[in-house]
Amino acid sequence: MTLILPKTGISFVNRTILLLCLLVFFKTSAQEISGEQLLERAIHYHDPQGNWGHFKGKLTIGMTMPNGTERLSDISIDFPNQYFKLAMVKNDKTVGYSVTNGTFLLSLDGKNNFTEEEIKTYNLTEARTKFMQNYYTYLYGLPMKLKDPGTIIDSAVEKKEFLGKEYLVLKVKYEEGVGKDAWFFYFDPKTYALKVYQFYHDETKKDGEYILLSDEEEFSGIKIPKVRAWYLNKDGSYLATDTLTKVSKL
């Protein structure tokens, strides 16, 4: 845009100030984006047809840790029927957690009666079942899950470089009783794809973790990050990698 300022009736200094103000205005108008706008664009990238709320599928996830430990988990999610099931191998035993319409069912190698030692060793409780349900549906439902009630979206979007790449960063907190951690979501500034997320229990202590996302698996019109590598915020120590090896219909 070419700006032509009048040569009379305004001093050179005032013309310069006006020009700078106008340039700042146009630059700000073209580049600023609110937190809600960024979230909407990110959701449009990952779930353009709004299918997440009706998700019905099975995720197979392999986890690897630095010590060579591996774990395979099968997660079944059926939102229309309020069904969740997790089956994973732990200490050479298959642990099952499921909940259907609020009814819990736990299993250990197919049996539903456990000793006190087994309950303790394999964490066979309803509380653990609910935690795992929330954990997997939250992480694999991002960024769509940021529309859930109790989510507080910061209106300010920060442009930040992280590990050598530029991102648009969205800060999220939660209402009391919903969540206590502070979350930061890093989006590609061109596509608005979610690339990194980070959380702190206490930002002043630099605790918590960050998770790098790579590759994507598309299912039912939803672009799901395929690889998630976990690191500590305080020193960048590597924790584990989750890889979505397969997603299929139930």
Side-chain angles (χ1 to χ4, degrees), residues 38 42 143 146 166-168 170 185-189 192-195:
L38 175 56
L146 299 182
E166 294 287 338
Y167 299 100
L168 295 177
L170 180 67
F185 297 90
Y186 295 67
F187 299 95
D188 184 294
Y192 303 107
L194 179 60
K195 293 296 184 181

Side-chain angles (χ1 to χ4, degrees), residues 88 90-97 105-115 117-119 121-124:
M88 64 179 183
K90 184 177 180 181
N91 298 340
D92 296 323
K93 290 185 178 290
T94 300
V95 183
Y97 302 95
L105 180 64
L106 298 95
S107 64
L108 183 64
D109 278 347
K111 68 176 184 178
N112 305 116
N113 295 311
F114 325 112
T115 65
E117 184 63 27
E118 287 174 333
I119 292 173
T121 301
Y122 299 98
N123 210 343
L124 296 164

Side-chain angles (χ1 to χ4, degrees), residues 55-60 75 219 246-250:
F55 186 88
K56 188 175 182 179
K58 181 178 180 180
L59 310 174
T60 299
I75 298 105
F219 178 76
K246 184 180 179 182
V247 57
S248 57
K249 293 182 179 180
L250 281 179

Side-chain angles (χ1 to χ4, degrees), residues 192-203:
Y192 303 107
L194 179 60
K195 293 296 184 181
V196 183
Y197 47 82
Q198 182 177 38
F199 66 88
Y200 295 93
H201 306 304
D202 185 340
E203 289 184 65

Side-chain angles (χ1 to χ4, degrees), residues 4-134:
I4 302 176
L5 299 177
K7 295 182 179 179
T8 59
I10 184 171
S11 69
F12 173 77
V13 174
N14 287 335
R15 287 203 305 273
T16 302
I17 293 173
L18 178 59
L19 176 60
L20 290 173
C21 289
L22 288 171
L23 287 174
V24 170
F25 171 78
F26 286 123
K27 183 178 181 181
T28 301
S29 297
Q31 295 182 356
E32 273 197 355
I33 181 174
S34 71
E36 287 289 352
Q37 289 171 330
L38 175 56
L39 178 56
E40 290 298 334
R41 294 180 190 184
I43 290 175
H44 181 73
Y45 172 84
H46 284 279
D47 185 17
Q49 300 170 28
N51 290 333
W52 173 249
H54 311 285
F55 186 88
K56 188 175 182 179
K58 181 178 180 180
L59 310 174
T60 299
I61 301 168
M63 183 184 73
T64 57
M65 290 179 275
N67 62 5
T69 300
E70 297 183 1
R71 187 176 73 197
L72 191 66
S73 300
D74 287 320
I75 298 105
S76 299
I77 300 171
D78 183 350
F79 286 139
N81 292 301
Q82 300 181 52
Y83 173 75
F84 170 85
K85 181 180 179 180
L86 165 64
M88 64 179 183
V89 177
K90 184 177 180 181
N91 298 340
D92 296 323
K93 290 185 178 290
T94 300
V95 183
Y97 302 95
S98 71
V99 56
T100 306
N101 288 316
T103 300
F104 295 86
L105 180 64
L106 298 95
S107 64
L108 183 64
D109 278 347
K111 68 176 184 178
N112 305 116
N113 295 311
F114 325 112
T115 65
E116 289 297 323
E117 184 63 27
E118 287 174 333
I119 292 173
K120 181 178 179 180
T121 301
Y122 299 98
N123 210 343
L124 296 164
T125 65
E126 291 186 2
R128 183 63 175 177
T129 304
K130 190 63 178 177
F131 172 83
M132 299 305 286
Q133 179 186 27
N134 291 337

